[in-house]
Amino acid sequence: MDGYGGRRHKAEQDAMTVEIGYALVSAMFAAAVVFGAVAGPALLFDLPDLLSRLMLWVGLTLAPIVFVVRAVSVVVRFRRGAQPSQPGRTSPDS
């Protein structure tokens, strides 16, 4: 990517599109796992009403937080250039 505001090449645009797609899919998966782990027992088992509501509330609160954190972390890591410059090779400073 050009650091001076120039136009991006098609390959760079495609790479960013794929990375955004990966970020969204992996963030949805992580949020679903967290929601299932926290609120799942409340939905599957006959728990006391207060505990069931608390678990659902915590699950509904944590899932979007996990989604945003995961999506942002994937995109930020990609923008920093954590990938090698040539496929199949490590970067020279590694």
Side-chain angles (χ1 to χ4, degrees):
M1 289 184 258
D2 192 351
Y4 297 103
R7 291 181 47 178
R8 295 182 184 177
H9 297 281
K10 180 69 172 153
E12 291 170 339
Q13 290 175 344
D14 291 345
M16 190 62 183
T17 301
V18 168
E19 198 66 22
I20 290 170
Y22 169 73
L24 292 175
V25 170
S26 68
M28 282 190 291
F29 179 76
V33 167
V34 167
F35 178 78
V38 174
L43 298 172
L44 292 175
F45 303 114
D46 188 24
L47 299 175
D49 190 44
L50 180 62
L51 181 60
S52 179
R53 287 183 189 200
L54 179 65
M55 291 174 76
L56 284 172
W57 183 82
V58 171
L60 288 171
T61 302
L62 284 180
I65 293 170
V66 168
F67 178 86
V68 170
V69 168
R70 175 65 183 165
V72 168
S73 69
V74 169
V75 172
V76 166
R77 190 176 330 136
F78 176 76
R79 299 229 4 143
R80 283 188 190 153
Q83 299 175 345
S85 59
Q86 296 175 347
R89 299 182 186 207
T90 58
S91 57
D93 59 344
S94 62

